[in-house]
Amino acid sequence: MYTPQAGIFALGTSSHAYLEFDILDAKKRKELASAICAIREPRTTTGGVNLVIGFRPEFWRDIVPDDAPAGVEGFNKEIHGTEGFVMPSTQHDALVWLSGSAYDVIFDMARSVVHDLRSQASLGEETSSWPYRHDRDLTGFIDGSENPTLLDAGIAALFPEGAPGAGGSVLLLQKWKHRVAEWEAVPVDQQERIMGRTKLDSTELENKPADSHVARTDQDEFGNIFRRNMPYGSIDDHGTMFVGFSSDQKRLSRMLESMAGLVTGTRDALTRFTQPLTGAYYFVPSVESLRRLRPD
């Protein structure tokens, strides 16, 4: 029996930090993986830290080939959609995602992680995030309306027992910057048509446009994804961290292709108001797989 990393399903956490690392010496992949797997979350009486540790799929396959799901790849190429729309590739070698109840604990833990890995990896990307009005993103709409319940999330997110990578998951991590002024200039009824849902209560529109975000990311078509999206940024420069887990990378890649207009020729209308800045896939191994790499 393989155990998924608990941080995948740690809903309700109010502070997050995503740390993406690039190895300094490619010959020392196993040493870096062991150092990352040795990270211990702090235990306090007022709140702790949940960890999600992931690796570039090719990186993981090189050091643990028997636990690597077949065909899973990094975000190695830009996605070129219709009308010149591009989703960039900013793949890194490893991810440490920290989440918890208070940002001071996350901040100290993040500094500790960066310090402990400094001789083996550079910090390629760092983003902090937090919830907005419980479950809304910074467009004002409820995010993750189609998310499976926690009872069903494991089925959508985790590789099954008996398969390479059992208890693990493929994570798609993207940073999307919102074009705030343009979005806020759009009347609410038009925003709803762009989203395909009502803004107040997230009811799906009966006659949603074909280019609406809901239509272009329909989980009935592409399969269930367990989302943990979070807002990030400052007052005038902000957006959404897309955090999506799946047991089938094709669900994620086909969804992105659909948004870019490569499936039906119709581009997601929301992409006219949001800009993807980063794009990476990580394999998130089971607890048992991480434990195998910890130094004695």
Side-chain angles (χ1 to χ4, degrees):
M1 185 74 179
Y2 287 87
T3 310
Q5 295 184 42
I8 296 173
F9 306 108
L11 301 178
T13 45
S14 58
S15 297
H16 299 251
Y18 309 89
L19 308 176
E20 298 178 80
F21 293 93
D22 296 305
I23 192 168
L24 296 177
D25 184 348
K27 297 178 181 178
K28 296 183 178 180
R29 292 186 182 93
K30 192 166 185 179
E31 290 85 343
L32 174 59
S34 294
I36 292 174
C37 292
I39 295 171
R40 305 280 183 170
E41 71 276 12
R43 301 186 184 280
T44 72
T45 57
T46 57
V49 174
N50 300 288
L51 296 178
V52 173
I53 291 170
F55 297 94
R56 182 183 191 137
E58 296 87 349
F59 183 108
W60 181 254
R61 187 174 296 114
D62 182 71
I63 58 174
V64 193
D66 62 326
D67 190 50
V72 178
E73 299 179 345
F75 202 129
N76 299 324
K77 296 179 180 179
E78 293 181 339
I79 297 175
H80 290 263
T82 60
E83 305 170 83
F85 177 69
V86 176
M87 291 186 187
S89 162
T90 59
Q91 183 71 53
H92 299 279
D93 291 315
L95 166 73
V96 179
W97 168 24
L98 313 172
S99 65
S101 60
Y103 189 68
D104 56 350
V105 180
I106 298 296
F107 180 82
D108 286 342
M109 183 66 184
R111 289 190 67 200
S112 175
V113 169
V114 173
H115 178 271
D116 290 347
L117 300 180
R118 71 189 186 283
S119 65
Q120 296 169 293
S122 60
L123 183 62
E125 184 79 27
E126 172 194 356
T127 307
S128 301
S129 63
W130 28 267
Y132 177 70
R133 297 188 181 181
H134 181 59
D135 55 4
R136 294 181 184 268
D137 66 24
L138 296 178
T139 65
F141 282 75
I142 294 174
D143 200 358
S145 298
E146 294 295 319
N147 233 9
T149 67
L150 281 180
L151 289 175
D152 296 322
I155 298 173
L158 304 175
F159 288 94
E161 292 292 323
S169 185
V170 178
L171 166 61
L172 170 61
L173 185 67
Q174 288 181 300
K175 180 188 290 189
W176 289 77
K177 178 178 178 177
H178 295 184
R179 295 192 173 102
V180 183
E182 296 172 46
W183 177 254
E184 293 181 346
V186 174
V188 170
D189 61 339
Q190 186 177 340
Q191 289 182 3
E192 291 178 334
R193 290 193 296 274
I194 291 168
M195 285 292 193
R197 291 186 175 278
T198 59
K199 194 167 188 176
L200 180 62
D201 59 6
S202 200
T203 300
E204 187 170 328
L205 302 182
E206 288 188 11
N207 297 311
K208 57 184 177 294
D211 67 347
S212 68
H213 184 58
V214 170
R216 297 274 44 85
T217 61
D218 187 356
Q219 293 195 168
D220 291 336
E221 179 179 352
F222 301 109
N224 280 340
I225 296 166
F226 182 58
R227 291 170 168 84
R228 292 288 309 279
N229 299 356
M230 295 293 292
Y232 81 89
S234 60
I235 298 300
D236 62 352
D237 184 6
H238 53 249
T240 298
M241 288 297 293
F242 179 88
V243 184
F245 292 92
S246 179
S247 59
D248 184 350
Q249 188 177 30
K250 290 181 180 177
R251 296 176 196 163
L252 298 163
S253 61
R254 288 290 286 169
M255 180 190 69
L256 295 185
E257 290 169 356
S258 175
M259 292 176 67
L262 299 178
V263 174
T264 65
T266 301
R267 176 179 157 193
D268 188 332
L270 186 58
T271 64
R272 304 181 190 284
F273 299 90
T274 60
Q275 177 187 358
L277 302 179
T278 69
Y281 285 112
Y282 295 100
F283 176 63
V284 179
S286 68
V287 171
E288 289 78 11
S289 294
L290 295 179
R291 197 172 287 147
R292 286 167 57 189
L293 290 174
R294 284 180 180 169
D296 297 331

